[in-house]
Amino acid sequence: MIEALQERVNGDASLVRRGRYLTTTFLLEIGTTAWLIAIHEGRIVSVTKGPFVMPSSTFALRTSGEEWDRFCEQRPPPGSNDVMALIKRRVLKAEGDLQVFMANLRYFKDALAKLRRDGVAA
């Protein structure tokens, strides 16, 4: 499912435009599986599945498989409907250089929402 992120984000012109000043690589870890997601000027250029020995990323987002499944439902329940709600509930850990994450929060919220069952940002 994470592999579809590149196609879904790059297919949304307004989302790519919103991230036009964003170039970074971040780690998304769901349960025991990790992905390195590279973004260049708002476009996702690669989604690489781990395992990694020493991944190089600006920041990491880590959560359990159960919480991620709830987040990816077409209509997630309250508290699972937003990346910041997951952080507030302490079921998603954001680690590393969070300045990049927070400065582009809307981009990351909308991009990760593309992974919902219907593939449309809420």
Side-chain angles (χ1 to χ4, degrees), residues 31-106:
T32 58
T33 308
W35 289 268
L36 274 176
I37 301 169
I39 302 168
H40 181 73
E41 297 177 353
R43 292 190 164 282
I44 296 181
V45 293
S46 69
V47 176
T48 308
K49 186 175 180 180
F52 306 104
V53 176
M54 292 180 66
S56 178
S57 63
T58 306
F59 65 91
L61 300 174
R62 294 182 167 93
T63 191
S64 68
E66 297 81 27
E67 287 297 334
W68 188 256
D69 287 342
R70 277 193 283 279
F71 173 79
C72 288
E73 290 176 9
Q74 186 173 4
R75 303 193 114 205
S80 296
N81 60 326
D82 183 76
V83 173
M84 291 306 288
L86 294 173
I87 290 172
K88 184 177 180 181
R89 289 182 39 235
R90 298 182 184 193
V91 295
L92 176 76
K93 293 186 190 300
E95 304 168 340
D97 183 3
L98 298 183
Q99 190 279 331
V100 174
F101 175 66
M102 294 304 289
N104 298 282
L105 184 59
R106 178 76 189 267

